[in-house]
Amino acid sequence: MLDLEIDGKQIEVKEGSTIMDAANQLGIFIPHFCYHRKLSIAANCRMCLVQVEKAPKPLPACATPVMGGMKVFTHSDEAVNAQKGVMEFLLINHPLDCPICDQGGECLLQDLAVGYGGSSSRYEEEKRVVADKNLGPLIATDMTRCIHCTRCVRFGQEIAGIMELGMVGRGEHAEILTFVGKTVDSELSGNMIDLCPVGALTSKPFRYTARTWELSRRKSISPHDSLGSNLIVQVKDNRVMRVLPRDNEEINECWLSDKDRYSYEGLNSEERLTRPMLKQDGEWKEVEWQTALEFIAEGLKRIRATHGAEAIGALATPHSTLEELYLLQKLMRGLGSGNVDFRLRQCDFSAELQGAPWLGMKIAEISQLDRVLVVGSMLRKDHPLLSNRLRQAAKRGTHINLINAVDDALLMKIEHKVIVAPREMVKTLAEVLKATAEAKNKPCAFSAQLAALNPSQEARRIAESLASGNKAAVFLGNLAQNHPQSAALHALAQELASLLGAKFGFFGEAANSVGGYIAGVVPFGTPAGKHAKAMLEDPLKAYLLLNTEVELDCHNPREAVAAMRKAELVVAMSAYRHKAAEYAHVLLPIAPFTETAGTFINTEGRAQSFNGTVKPLAETRPAWKVLRVLGNLLGLAGFEQDSIEQVRAEILPDAGADLAQRLDNRLRRQILAAVEIPAADGLQRIGEVPVYSADAIVRRAASLQKTRDARAPVAWMPGVLYERLKLRDGDKVKLTQEQGSATLEARRDDTLPQNCVRAASAHSMTAELGAMFGEITLERAT
Amino acid sequence: MTCLHGRHINPIILAGLDGNNWCIGDYMRRGGYSALKKVLSEKIPPEQIVNELKKSALRGRGGAGFPTGLKWSFMPKSFTGEKYLICNSDEGEPGTFKDRDIMRYNPHSVIEGMAIAAYAMGAKTGYNYVHGEVWDCYERMEVALEEARAAGFVGDNILGSDFSFQLYNHHGYGAYICGEETALLDSLEGKKGMPRFKPPFPASYGLYGKPTTVNNTETLACVPWIVLNGGEKFLSMGRPNSGGTKIFSVCGHVNQPGNYEVPLGTPFAKLLELAGGMRGGKKFKACIPGGSSMPVLPAHIMLATDMDYDSIAKAGSMLGSGGVIIMDETVCMVKALLRLSYFYFEESCGQCTPCREGTGWLYRVVNRIEHGQGKQEDLDLLVNVADNIAGRTICALGDAAALPVKSFITHFREEFEHHIESKQCLVPTYA
């Protein structure tokens, strides 16, 4: 520890600390632009110059290491003179167009200019003008305002993992730009806007729509991926204008994924459903809530009377709130049906867990791991910020190992990887397990099933890597969870983790993937019922859909839509008017997360409750209220709640104190029938969910839909297939699964495993196809 | 502008050169590589070499004048990984052209110096970073390096010892900033050359993050002589704290501009005499004694000064890289400053705010004054802006841009005032 004195205050800091660190600990503000606590030190803006006793010249606080006995003055004449000098330099070429700058009112340069700038300028020469750049649909530029702090450049290099912006040119000609003709495509790009201390990089969708001081700031929680990013939702005239990150070191730090940041555009979509609607004689008619709910209550009663309660089922997405999910299953069970599920993209339900599947650790603990195995995940796109945690860990030397079906660039060092067809993943994981057992010289639960396996070299390398660490973890990603043999993967991963003394966890798919279990929207409560797949394979008579667009949210959209078309009653509770109009009988406008209070339980098992940030649009109602009233109309007991807090208290008594005990990844029974590759000569589909197709809100976020990540699905295939069909880029191919087909552009990707075709799911262009990882045939389209 | 005139005083590096005797055979006939042989055959302990360097008072010839032996001693001795030695041949300081001649006419002195330095610091790999605008020097160094490799002075197990040293030449593309040692390291790593903040210094975090020493070409060329003749002898050639000889690149309005190697402490007047005196018998007006980054001094001060680090510092300037720019009475100091300011404006890397923004400001104001658009307040403004740049940037380019402005205005203020008042030059005609 080192002692020093800043502005007469004594403090002790760790060795290696900078003056800035010490000042931050003391709560002394030193003006700065290029310094950012999450980025490397550049020391280029020179705004943080301070006086240090015995130093011949002022020193940058951000970069100067503390020495024992140092005396620092941040507000002395020398320091302030230096700071004012730098401020003058920053302003001479800055346009000072604050009245027309989107950053005005939330600009670090503007703020500090008040304290350190002059009221007039001594600079009489012409100011520099810099051409604007097109960085894509999310970030607007005004490069003349750039002060060259290089925060955006360092963010790309250090956090996003890819240098998409750089500074070229010397001296006054230095400017920030992308590689020739490229845009900024990182899934974390919006953070550059937050980092930019001036109005050089601003939000393109938000641009010119509001002034920062006109906005109310309201806390919320992201409804998208399973991280549960903390949000500030900014509102003007009862409309969500912008979403910014709310610092939470344990969850999203100071970052947001672009999905969390820009999805709000979907909240203001033209497709919003505004009034309850009934289909009468094939025509949709707007009706009163009372009429619609009575119609539903009567319909459900009739079907229960004629077909039994088990003919009714409910399908929800894990983007619904905990309270909505809970009341949905309570309503279904009140009716006597256990047919409830939210695991719509899952297809193997044979694993029985001891509790709700979760990350198996705190999110922040990822940073402390030294060995990691990720099985089946589009890591960067499914979990942009968890992925960043792993990236930062990898930089510190953590081994990241991967078993996956695609070899997308993860922008971090991958120690070892095996890229195989989904159908071969079980075998690959089993090989790693066997090699680990051998390396550890320990018995393994499945020695009989593994006896015939001969682990590949790469599987052995993964095993060696995992066995060489002290803090290891094995994670199953979305692909593994939605895999046709997810239970086998689960059993193997659990055994591998236990052999290693490692943590074992799931990267939850969505905001409430844990909450769905906690709310009981699973068919193994009382009464028990059918899981999502069974409900659709063998169609029911009535379906309640909560936030669900079956053609986009289900493992097998073709089967799901067919089931809907056969039903006597389909009730679609949604914020949007969507394809359900073709098969539903009632459409109920329910509130998205910004218009209702609710709770999401994130992948680390943290319950985060939030309030609505704007009033519900038109006749929209929070779904928990809708379900509560529907419960009354059906004469069910237990629907007397007056507030959402009462609903929440039923699910999480003691404010969720016991939540930790309800999380458990362990299987009730260690099952693993056999490790073999399912016999199939055909092609297997890799039908991942693209990042901006995952849920109803993001699908309607206009700017995100213009990004490269949201491009129309194409059929990616390895070279062998490509050549067999004599394809060239731009040729179309017809993909067929079951009786449905889709015609997509063909693209070659030699990193794909043999006998695989990668064609995204959750997209209208592929909604006619079947299972995400099912067999698929391929022919040249004519 | 050459060094082949023979008018040196006790030369070490430039002795006996005729322009054609640069090959390894010629070098060895002059006694070349005997220092390296001595070091390796006698297994002289590395610390002893560093101590000799310390005794010699050899100071860095690139411009900063840092004691070389002390710099070498900063290299971590117990560090087991890769360590690097860099020769900074990125000679870009206006008025300086000595390293060019060393590389052209005595390239092996640099190679031998590097091999000894690497031995003394435990470096296994060296790079000679050659300025991109003297392409012939790069080619000459390549040939010389090939000769040295063939002769076994560079490579594995040099002269049968267990000392191995791999040396490579690398050329830049002429950016002035890449002569700054940490920008040079970035450039060598394949990045855009921009100075790094120090600390950490290269000795702890240099090329590819490894301990690195960067020495100037002339500095390294002195090393073999010191090893052969001892540090004390080198010291005694010059002045205390300024050991040995120094090559001064004398340019400007003298009859015989060129490189002159003389003992440190030689009176300026003697140097001027060696360079053939003032061209056309014109009156000596001013001199920048250490390359364009150093303060200008009026003739009368220069004529009373000796050419060593301390004497020039006492006179109010710095010895720098030894680029002696002589200006006669026909020189308009405003125009001279304009040219210098334009140089720093163009060569600023753009990283630090004061330098990126301030060099352009300085240039534009001087430009205005030169073209009769100046105001009296501009002179104080220039000095103030220069003060706001100097000492507030990562590297010394900010100081280099500020010092000429301040010194030109200090010593020749009346010329600037005349420009502003009468909108014309005080210097009546150009000869």
Side-chain angles (χ1 to χ4, degrees):
Chain A
M1 297 300 273
L2 299 167
D3 284 305
L4 77 158
E5 186 189 299
I6 305 182
D7 296 343
K9 292 182 191 155
Q10 293 290 333
I11 185 160
E12 208 183 50
V13 294
K14 277 189 291 190
E15 272 190 53
S17 301
T18 61
I19 296 176
M20 185 70 90
D21 296 332
N24 285 342
Q25 279 183 45
L26 275 172
I28 293 173
F29 178 77
I30 300 175
H32 59 267
F33 294 103
C34 70
Y35 167 80
H36 189 276
R37 66 196 165 91
K38 293 283 181 189
L39 301 176
S40 65
I41 300 295
N44 60 30
C45 79
R46 317 307 285 179
M47 191 63 208
C48 69
L49 290 172
V50 293
Q51 183 186 353
V52 177
E53 193 182 61
K54 295 190 187 117
K57 53 189 185 182
L59 299 175
C62 69
T64 306
V66 167
M67 315 261 249
M70 209 177 220
K71 273 191 176 178
V72 179
F73 306 93
T74 70
H75 289 89
S76 64
D77 287 349
E78 185 189 324
V80 171
N81 184 33
Q83 292 157 2
K84 286 189 168 175
V86 172
M87 178 53 79
E88 181 178 39
F89 286 131
L90 283 169
L91 293 179
I92 62 171
N93 275 309
H94 191 78
L96 303 179
D97 58 347
C98 307
I100 56 153
C101 174
D102 235 32
Q103 192 85 353
E106 52 184 3
C107 173
L108 198 53
L109 185 65
Q110 198 180 32
D111 292 349
L112 291 179
V114 174
Y116 300 89
S119 53
S120 60
S121 175
R122 298 192 288 172
Y123 187 73
E124 295 172 3
E125 331 306 318
E126 251 179 65
K127 289 196 179 219
R128 174 175 62 226
V129 175
V130 184
D132 290 336
K133 315 292 182 292
N134 179 15
L135 302 188
L138 302 180
I139 305 176
T141 64
D142 239 306
M143 298 319 286
T144 301
R145 297 179 186 137
C146 174
I147 58 167
H148 305 83
C149 70
T150 68
R151 277 185 182 183
C152 56
V153 177
R154 284 174 284 145
F155 175 83
Q157 290 171 313
E158 296 161 19
I159 307 296
I162 182 165
M163 188 180 179
E164 292 184 300
L165 291 175
M167 190 164 90
V168 303
R170 270 200 317 253
E172 248 186 43
H173 311 297
E175 57 177 314
I176 302 287
L177 40 79
T178 58
F179 289 95
V180 179
K182 301 277 183 180
T183 49
V184 171
D185 299 321
S186 160
E187 66 283 355
L188 298 173
S189 69
N191 293 298
M192 294 179 184
I193 298 167
D194 296 344
L195 289 172
C196 182
V198 294
L201 306 179
T202 52
S203 166
K204 209 174 244 183
F206 173 68
R207 205 171 205 210
Y208 301 142
T209 58
R211 283 309 211 167
T212 176
W213 56 85
E214 300 171 325
L215 299 168
S216 347
R217 288 158 169 73
R218 292 169 188 163
K219 293 178 183 178
S220 193
I221 302 295
S222 164
H224 305 290
D225 67 31
S226 61
L227 189 76
S229 287
N230 290 198
L231 310 178
I232 295 173
V233 174
Q234 301 194 326
V235 174
K236 178 186 167 190
D237 299 337
N238 203 43
R239 186 182 164 97
V240 175
M241 303 303 291
R242 183 166 66 166
V243 168
L244 294 177
R246 180 154 52 92
D247 276 21
N248 189 332
E249 270 310 293
E250 293 168 345
I251 300 176
N252 52 308
E253 304 172 73
C254 57
W255 313 123
L256 271 192
S257 65
D258 286 356
K259 179 152 76 169
D260 287 342
R261 183 184 301 268
Y262 292 109
S263 281
Y264 74 88
E265 283 192 290
L267 299 167
N268 306 321
S269 156
E270 294 283 308
E271 286 179 50
R272 279 295 295 274
L273 185 61
T274 52
R275 286 177 200 290
M277 298 181 87
L278 271 185
K279 198 191 261 175
Q280 287 173 334
D281 307 324
E283 291 284 310
W284 282 105
K285 292 214 170 77
E286 291 186 353
V287 295
E288 296 299 313
W289 270 101
Q290 189 69 19
T291 315
L293 292 178
E294 278 170 7
F295 177 86
I296 297 165
E298 274 167 33
L300 291 173
K301 280 183 196 163
R302 189 183 66 244
I303 288 166
R304 180 171 62 169
T306 50
H307 303 285
E310 58 278 11
I312 305 171
L315 299 168
T317 68
H319 302 283
S320 313
T321 68
L322 186 70
E323 295 81 354
E324 292 162 3
L325 291 167
Y326 170 76
L327 288 177
L328 179 70
Q329 65 85 31
K330 190 169 187 179
L331 185 104
M332 291 301 293
R333 294 202 158 99
L335 282 167
S337 170
N339 298 336
V340 287
D341 214 338
F342 73 94
R343 301 163 299 172
L344 308 184
R345 293 202 181 102
Q346 201 168 311
C347 66
D348 177 4
F349 293 87
S350 56
E352 284 179 53
L353 275 67
Q354 301 204 11
W358 66 303
L359 188 63
M361 64 180 79
K362 291 284 167 203
I363 290 164
E365 283 176 59
I366 291 177
S367 314
Q368 289 142 30
L369 298 171
D370 62 3
R371 297 291 182 270
V372 172
L373 172 64
V374 177
V375 182
S377 179
M378 310 289 161
L379 200 50
R380 256 177 76 201
K381 303 299 172 182
D382 289 347
H383 310 286
L385 288 173
L386 282 181
S387 192
N388 175 47
R389 292 247 184 204
L390 288 173
R391 183 175 300 125
Q392 301 310 319
K395 269 195 213 167
R396 288 188 294 268
T398 301
H399 288 191
I400 312 287
N401 299 286
L402 185 69
I403 297 175
N404 209 3
V406 300
D407 196 13
D408 294 350
L410 295 177
L411 308 182
M412 66 182 93
K413 189 185 173 206
I414 301 297
E415 204 66 23
H416 302 293
K417 66 185 171 192
V418 182
I419 306 299
V420 289
R423 65 165 76 98
E424 289 177 47
M425 284 172 76
V426 172
K427 177 168 168 269
T428 305
L429 184 55
E431 287 179 9
V432 172
L433 175 61
K434 183 169 183 182
T436 306
E438 286 171 11
K440 285 259 176 190
N441 201 15
K442 278 189 187 169
C444 141
F446 307 120
S447 44
Q449 291 96 319
L450 304 183
L453 278 183
N454 184 18
S456 69
Q457 184 118 38
E458 208 51 18
R460 284 189 192 283
R461 290 204 185 105
I462 292 178
E464 276 163 31
S465 157
L466 292 173
S468 65
N470 295 316
K471 282 193 137 187
V474 180
F475 294 111
L476 297 181
N478 297 6
L479 192 155
Q481 293 164 56
N482 299 331
H483 190 276
Q485 294 151 284
S486 67
L489 290 171
H490 187 160
L492 290 165
Q494 178 178 326
E495 180 61 13
L496 176 62
S498 110
L499 209 56
L500 289 162
K503 301 256 186 181
F504 165 52
F506 291 86
F507 291 142
E509 184 179 343
N512 242 343
S513 288
V514 173
Y517 280 88
I518 301 297
V521 190
V522 276
F524 39 81
T526 316
K530 292 178 172 176
H531 54 64
K533 190 176 178 220
M535 278 190 253
L536 296 169
E537 263 175 0
D538 189 9
L540 306 175
K541 296 295 174 195
Y543 292 98
L544 292 181
L545 304 178
L546 180 61
N547 286 318
T548 306
E549 298 174 67
V550 293
E551 67 284 359
L552 302 175
D553 290 325
C554 292
H555 186 84
N556 187 330
R558 182 173 178 74
E559 195 173 78
V561 172
M564 294 303 127
R565 291 194 194 281
K566 284 186 194 146
E568 286 176 25
L569 177 64
V570 175
V571 178
M573 290 178 270
S574 171
Y576 301 98
R577 224 192 131 115
H578 56 86
K579 204 170 147 64
E582 291 175 20
Y583 50 72
H585 305 90
V586 191
L587 296 175
L588 298 180
I590 58 161
F593 77 109
T594 42
E595 298 169 23
T596 177
T599 303
F600 293 122
I601 303 182
N602 75 357
T603 193
E604 66 171 2
R606 179 192 297 245
Q608 300 188 98
S609 297
F610 53 90
N611 289 320
T613 52
V614 290
K615 286 195 205 105
L617 180 72
E619 286 296 305
T620 298
R621 295 286 178 268
W624 75 268
K625 289 187 179 173
V626 174
L627 289 162
R628 190 264 196 203
V629 172
L630 193 55
N632 297 147
L633 288 173
L634 286 163
L636 303 178
F639 284 84
E640 293 83 31
Q641 303 88 346
D642 289 328
S643 69
I644 195 156
E645 286 75 18
Q646 287 174 14
V647 182
R648 199 174 294 151
E650 286 182 35
I651 321 162
L652 302 172
D654 313 323
D658 70 330
L659 197 47
Q661 280 113 59
R662 294 156 80 178
L663 308 170
D664 200 331
N665 291 329
R666 286 172 301 169
L667 292 165
R668 283 189 194 280
R669 289 171 288 118
Q670 262 296 32
I671 42 146
L672 184 71
V675 176
E676 56 186 27
I677 301 177
D681 313 322
L683 299 176
Q684 187 171 21
R685 176 182 177 195
I686 302 172
E688 93 275 15
V689 179
V691 57
Y692 300 139
S693 298
D695 63 74
I697 301 175
V698 70
R699 283 171 199 143
R700 292 166 177 87
S703 299
L704 287 175
Q705 293 307 323
K706 291 181 203 148
T707 62
R708 290 171 69 86
D709 277 332
R711 280 175 306 185
V714 295
W716 296 96
M717 61 195 87
V720 182
L721 271 179
Y722 212 64
E723 278 154 24
R724 195 187 300 160
L725 291 174
K726 299 191 168 47
L727 291 168
R728 282 181 307 180
D729 279 356
D731 286 354
K732 302 251 172 162
V733 286
K734 187 177 168 195
L735 305 173
T736 307
Q737 269 185 300
E738 298 153 29
Q739 278 78 48
S741 61
T743 301
L744 303 179
E745 219 173 86
R747 289 279 170 76
R748 180 176 177 143
D749 176 1
D750 285 332
T751 68
L752 282 175
Q754 299 304 304
N755 294 326
C756 285
V757 177
R758 183 178 184 179
S761 58
H763 196 282
S764 58
M765 282 173 72
T766 54
E768 292 292 314
L769 295 175
M772 292 165 76
F773 305 102
E775 273 198 57
I776 194 164
T777 58
L778 176 68
E779 61 190 309
R780 183 186 260 281
T782 46
Chain B
M1 303 242 271
T2 165
C3 63
L4 305 173
H5 42 63
R7 290 192 307 283
H8 306 290
I9 303 173
N10 303 330
I12 289 173
I13 301 168
L14 301 181
L17 303 182
D18 63 12
N20 296 313
N21 55 358
W22 56 271
C23 292
I24 192 162
D26 306 307
Y27 182 64
M28 290 176 74
R29 273 189 287 282
R30 294 197 294 274
Y33 286 113
S34 49
L36 181 62
K37 285 179 191 161
K38 176 179 161 161
V39 166
L40 295 179
S41 63
E42 295 175 16
K43 294 196 168 63
I44 300 178
E47 307 79 61
Q48 194 181 319
I49 299 174
V50 176
N51 278 336
E52 279 312 309
L53 263 291
K54 283 183 178 168
K55 271 190 247 170
S56 75
L58 171 63
R59 293 172 63 168
R61 304 298 197 224
F66 193 84
T68 306
L70 188 59
K71 193 184 226 182
W72 288 12
S73 69
F74 292 154
M75 285 287 268
K77 286 169 197 68
S78 52
F79 186 84
T80 49
E82 192 78 52
K83 289 188 258 186
Y84 294 102
L85 170 70
I86 312 291
C87 175
N88 185 348
S89 299
D90 192 38
E91 185 177 49
E93 180 76 5
T96 315
F97 42 89
K98 63 191 177 62
D99 298 338
R100 184 191 73 185
D101 276 5
I102 297 173
M103 288 188 282
R104 264 183 197 158
Y105 303 126
N106 203 5
H108 286 283
S109 65
V110 182
I111 295 171
E112 187 183 7
M114 286 191 79
I116 297 169
Y119 172 86
M121 287 179 279
K124 301 261 182 313
T125 308
Y127 293 94
N128 180 29
Y129 188 103
V130 184
H131 193 67
E133 288 164 334
V134 285
W135 186 254
D136 64 312
C137 293
Y138 172 72
E139 290 182 328
R140 176 68 49 96
M141 285 306 304
E142 282 287 88
V143 175
L145 185 54
E146 220 27 75
E147 288 180 336
R149 278 200 193 111
F153 295 123
V154 168
D156 290 331
N157 301 100
I158 296 171
L159 302 174
S161 70
D162 56 3
F163 171 61
S164 299
F165 177 57
Q166 312 302 331
L167 176 58
Y168 307 93
N169 293 306
H170 179 95
H171 70 82
Y173 283 92
Y176 175 67
I177 195 62
C178 289
E180 198 281 343
E181 63 175 2
T182 54
L184 183 152
L185 296 178
D186 266 18
S187 171
L188 199 51
E189 288 179 6
K191 300 171 189 159
K192 180 183 169 194
M194 292 208 291
R196 302 174 183 172
F197 183 81
K198 293 173 272 186
F201 290 91
S204 54
Y205 190 95
L207 187 66
Y208 305 115
K210 300 287 186 253
T212 301
T213 292
V214 185
N215 286 134
N216 169 254
T217 318
E218 185 186 352
T219 312
L220 288 164
C222 291
V223 170
W225 195 95
I226 296 171
V227 168
L228 280 180
N229 300 284
E232 305 220 348
K233 189 160 182 207
F234 189 81
L235 172 62
S236 68
M237 291 180 74
R239 290 266 174 94
N241 201 26
S242 294
T245 60
K246 170 85 187 84
I247 304 175
F248 291 99
S249 304
V250 184
C251 68
H253 299 149
V254 290
N255 280 316
Q256 285 160 315
N259 282 314
Y260 295 87
E261 185 175 358
V262 297
L264 281 162
T266 301
F268 171 77
K270 180 71 190 168
L271 185 64
L272 187 56
E273 185 194 318
L274 290 176
M278 295 306 292
R279 192 175 66 185
K282 291 266 186 341
K283 202 173 149 200
F284 175 32
K285 178 175 182 179
C287 170
I288 305 175
S292 66
S293 308
M294 300 306 161
V296 66
L297 291 174
H300 68 276
I301 298 181
M302 275 316 292
L303 288 167
T305 302
D306 294 340
M307 297 303 281
D308 62 82
Y309 291 94
D310 297 338
S311 302
I312 297 182
K314 220 165 124 190
S317 186
M318 277 178 274
L319 184 130
S321 60
V324 181
I325 303 168
I326 309 276
M327 292 173 259
D328 70 16
E329 58 189 325
T330 65
V331 171
C332 165
M333 297 312 270
V334 180
K335 192 162 190 180
L337 179 61
L338 177 63
R339 191 65 194 79
L340 290 177
S341 297
Y342 181 70
F343 177 79
Y344 292 105
F345 164 55
E346 273 295 313
E347 296 292 346
S348 165
C349 85
Q351 184 176 204
C352 303
T353 304
C355 178
R356 177 184 67 243
E357 308 294 345
T359 50
W361 194 357
L362 291 178
Y363 161 69
R364 290 188 175 97
V365 175
V366 177
N367 189 45
R368 219 171 52 201
I369 297 172
E370 164 69 12
H371 291 96
Q373 313 277 312
K375 296 179 288 188
Q376 282 303 340
E377 313 87 271
D378 284 344
L379 296 182
D380 290 338
L381 175 72
L382 280 174
V383 171
N384 183 257
V385 170
D387 278 337
N388 282 344
I389 302 173
R392 294 183 186 172
T393 51
I394 287 177
C395 79
L397 196 143
D399 304 72
L403 287 176
V405 171
K406 292 183 68 179
S407 61
F408 271 69
I409 293 178
T410 304
H411 294 297
F412 302 96
R413 193 173 179 105
E414 72 283 359
E415 278 196 48
F416 286 82
E417 286 171 346
H418 187 85
H419 255 274
I420 290 166
E421 273 166 26
S422 57
K423 305 196 187 304
Q424 57 182 340
C425 199
L426 188 62
V427 179
T429 49
Y430 286 84

